[in-house]
Amino acid sequence: MNSWIPLMLRHGYVLTFAILLAEAVGLPFPASIALVAAGAAIASHALGFPQVLLAAIYALLIGDSIQFWLGRKMGWSLLGFLCRLSLNPETCMLRSAESFYKRGKMTLIIAKFVPGVNTMAAPLAGSMKMRFHQFLLLDFAGSLLYTLTYLCVGFLSRDVLATVFNSFRVAGRAMEAVLLVAVIVYAVYRLVQFRKYRQYNVVPRIQVQELAARLASDQSHTVLIADVRSHGYYDVGAERIKGSIRIEPNNLDEETKSLAKNKEIYLYCT
Amino acid sequence: MLMERGFNTFVIVGGLTAWRKAGEPLESVPKDDLVKLPTFN
């Protein structure tokens, strides 16, 4: 934090704009710390409040709008990609979408204060076809609240920043420890999963040409091609292999009831 | 898991991408198979 203040004094407006824009497009930049430093610089009369506010709001609106249109263009595939890290991608997609649908407007206002949600809110709004002017209005409210909050913190705590910084360092160390434990737990979980399902690596594989030849032969009646992509990956206009059926991987008990055991089942995903 | 249940299962190498690249026939996903995730509009 101490090193941020001299930087802010020298390149304040450009730095505020650049860091906030970077964070708004999803890069891991410390926007809140930059705003606190800018608030301290305003208190020292080194920067002007209206200029900092304008730079911050413009940066956030531009970055979030880019994310919004990216979400609009990519549809559900962006959410699908983000949910791949979760334990159950299908549930993650459905719950995220439903939750955002119910609380989307409020979420957009407070999203910037919550890491992770901040990254997902704008593209989700785009994916879910929120009207752009509505998004812009809500995002403006959220950006204003976020910017003013951290500027105020910096402005009011200029004299105690060193103390706060020390607290941040202690909190930061605790956070690092928690994060490290979380990463280890996740790695162990993945390892257990890997060992559990390693036996399925022996599932026979078939090349596309080989399968196409089989479909063209008199053995085609024994072939069943099954799409095992998650439902959530589908957008209107999505394609699949001609003649294939869907098997929902998270609902195998039900799905297998209608499957014939005398058929060869050829599975595919994206 | 399908093999555990006694199904004769194979995996298509490269999935849909390889199928498309090979120029093999595709079809649109039927509307009934699309999950209606909520939208604002």
Side-chain angles (χ1 to χ4, degrees):
Chain A
M1 177 77 72
N2 290 335
S3 59
W4 277 96
I5 296 173
L7 259 179
M8 271 296 170
L9 295 178
R10 257 180 281 136
H11 313 287
Y13 305 120
V14 176
L15 209 57
T16 304
F17 182 86
I19 292 174
L20 267 72
L21 180 65
E23 199 217 26
V25 295
L27 300 174
F29 275 75
S32 52
I33 294 177
L35 283 173
V36 171
I42 291 168
S44 314
H45 304 290
L47 294 178
F49 171 69
Q51 293 92 324
V52 170
L53 188 65
L54 274 179
I57 298 287
Y58 269 123
L60 291 172
L61 289 182
I62 291 170
D64 289 343
S65 297
I66 291 170
Q67 292 256 56
F68 175 90
W69 287 109
L70 204 62
R72 178 66 60 89
K73 193 160 178 54
M74 290 179 73
W76 294 110
S77 54
L78 184 65
L79 183 57
F81 174 75
L82 293 170
C83 279
R84 273 188 195 180
L85 293 175
S86 80
L87 299 182
N88 188 335
E90 178 74 2
T91 311
C92 165
M93 285 190 69
L94 293 173
R95 283 200 183 150
S96 303
E98 280 168 7
S99 168
F100 194 80
Y101 181 71
K102 282 182 195 156
R103 307 182 193 89
K105 291 171 188 172
M106 186 51 74
T107 306
L108 275 172
I109 293 174
I110 59 157
K112 299 198 181 309
F113 293 95
V114 190
V117 176
N118 180 25
T119 316
M120 287 182 73
L124 257 180
S127 296
M128 295 175 74
K129 302 193 183 344
M130 184 180 273
R131 289 197 174 99
F132 184 59
H133 65 86
Q134 188 186 25
F135 165 77
L136 218 48
L137 203 65
L138 292 164
D139 195 47
F140 174 75
S143 301
L144 194 63
L145 182 66
Y146 177 73
T147 306
L148 287 177
T149 303
Y150 282 107
L151 284 181
C152 279
V153 170
F155 189 89
L156 297 173
S157 60
R158 178 182 58 145
D159 297 330
V160 289
L161 274 181
T163 316
V164 173
F165 178 53
N166 284 334
S167 307
F168 278 170
R169 270 211 303 226
V170 173
R173 278 193 212 108
M175 206 61 185
E176 281 169 9
V178 170
L179 201 64
L180 186 66
V181 171
V183 168
I184 290 170
V185 169
Y186 183 72
V188 169
Y189 169 79
R190 297 300 299 188
L191 189 67
V192 170
Q193 292 288 308
F194 172 74
R195 288 174 69 91
K196 189 176 167 188
Y197 293 109
R198 193 169 48 177
Q199 57 181 307
Y200 299 121
N201 283 342
V202 296
V203 175
R205 291 164 179 267
I206 186 166
Q207 297 292 334
V208 167
Q209 293 78 4
E210 205 180 329
L211 178 57
R214 200 154 173 74
L215 280 170
S217 74
D218 55 0
Q219 295 292 309
S220 61
H221 63 280
T222 63
V223 172
L224 180 69
I225 303 177
D227 183 349
V228 290
R229 289 179 294 174
S230 169
H231 253 133
Y233 288 103
Y234 290 151
D235 278 305
V236 174
E239 291 180 318
R240 68 181 188 181
I241 292 178
K242 192 175 180 184
S244 62
I245 61 158
R246 243 201 66 73
I247 291 182
E248 168 54 58
N250 297 305
N251 192 24
L252 266 189
D253 286 335
E254 281 300 313
E255 298 279 353
T256 50
K257 281 178 186 168
S258 55
L259 289 180
K261 290 214 169 168
N262 59 348
K263 293 229 175 189
E264 294 170 352
I265 304 174
Y266 295 88
L267 307 172
Y268 73 93
C269 58
T270 50
Chain B
M1 285 183 272
L2 282 169
M3 286 178 86
E4 262 183 348
R5 289 167 161 84
F7 291 99
N8 192 12
T9 312
F10 301 80
V11 171
I12 303 173
V13 177
L16 184 64
T17 310
W19 187 267
R20 184 180 283 120
K21 273 186 188 168
E24 297 297 338
L26 298 164
E27 65 185 12
S28 293
V29 171
K31 282 187 177 173
D32 290 345
D33 276 359
L34 292 169
V35 161
K36 306 288 184 292
L37 290 170
T39 59
F40 289 103
N41 189 3

